[in-house]
Amino acid sequence: MNWRDRHLWLVILAGGVFGALGVMLSVWGNPANSGICVSCFLENSVGALGFHDNDRMQYLRPELPGFVLGATVSALIGREFVSRGGGAPLPRIVAGILLMIGCAIFIGCPIKLFLRLSAGDLTALAGVAGLFCGVWIGLQGLGHGVSFGQPLKERGTGWITPLFFLALLAAFFVRPGFLLFSERGSASLHAPWFFSLGAGLVLGGLAQRTRFCITGGIRDGLILGRRAPLLWGGIAFIVSAFLFSVLVGRFNVGWLGQPGAHLEAVWNFTGMLLVGIVSALIGGCPLRQLIKSGEGDTDAGLVVIGMLIGAALVQAWGITATTAGVPSGGKIAVLTGLALTVLSMLLFRERETE
Amino acid sequence: MLVDRYDRLLWGAFILLLIAIATTTAYSLQGSAYVTQHNDRNLERKITERARFDYLADLYAPVTAALEAGDFSHALLALEEVQRSSPDEAYGQVLKGVILSKMGAIDAALESLAAGIKQNGNYIDRNGSLSYRKTVIALVANQLPLYAARVANDAEDTVALTTKRHLHYLQSRLAGGCE
């Protein structure tokens, strides 16, 4: 490990800032242990746009446009904004849907997984195990030739996703009549918009610059061991989140009574297993997909569209888990998601004998 | 897709998952494992619809009572009283149209009916609660030929033209279709 490497320290800084803001956004008004949660934010935002009718989950979260536009600005400054894509578009949309199903069963994305864990929520441990296993299985797939194709340079298409999120941000401020905002439930809990948007922009920029990604950190850790900067970024994220949780008095170790958590360990494991496999196969967790879409990657943009669809479906169909547990529809959905993933690994495999 | 050991492993996993899906589905259909986050949404919708029906029926009770008693001027006064707090409420607009039609003010009646039904088509649905479908059908059937004739005689008659447009709008809504 080269401790003099400036990039390594930048990744560690990004992890630290993610951990700190993940806790602080919750202190400033976001739901407990959900300071940053890409899947929750997506479910809230599609609800605000009217794609589902759960009136407790409707709020256009400014963090989301912040992530994407922060990444866009950072990519433009670093001259890394390149329109590219074209690798298996339809499977990527499906992958986005599957990511949201996995997150819905666990109640949170990989970022929230570690925010929950660092706040003392032991129910997240099964999710951690599932995510590690999932990334490992995904890596095995990649090693055995599973591939969704290489992106090609495109002209101008990379701007579509950033412009879409810019439009969402404009809608947040203009407040057209079709937007819905919850007056109760978790979506009614939110930090002031300038904190949310500011944090989103900063984190989006940092994540773009450093390639910060939870599943990417696990993947690199499994491949490179301690030499992986992203692994250290992930560790910095967990340590920072833990310290801030303690500092603000929100650290509470235990299994029971944790916010936004259920005790069905098998399904926590399975949900994150699905997220881990899919993330490894498509090159990043839900946050990473948002960031890549912000730097011109239309393949990631399609995953984001899939995530938006998935976020609407899990709410509209009652798939998502709650503190009461995992509904049977959710169990069937996550198993179906795993089956589809395994099938796609068979279909998208380049075999040596072919 | 069955070339090597990894392929066989994936197929094995796939088959196991299919068995797991079938088992979970069968288990959930027994009902004991069914955990749901909200009630049957169709039931929720019926409850909301009933609440809406009860609320509007209570709100406009003085109006409908006077209307049924044939006291149209009193019904109109009662309606104005209610409409002070919610002037653009669709059911109020429809009621106003019905009352005015009974009083013979057909132009104003059709304007009000069209405005109310544009806001909420439930008031002329076959299965809609508080539906005035039959009243509107009769109005359109009786008035459309008269207004068509008026417009044919005098193309500059803007009042007749406007009312004829409202009649055609109501005719279109009564005819149904996917909208």
Side-chain angles (χ1 to χ4, degrees), chain A residues 231-257:
Chain A
L231 178 68
W232 291 102
I235 292 166
F237 166 62
I238 295 164
V239 170
S240 167
F242 165 72
L243 290 174
F244 271 83
S245 292
V246 172
L247 208 67
V248 300
R250 296 199 171 205
F251 185 74
N252 172 34
V253 182
W255 300 91
L256 303 171

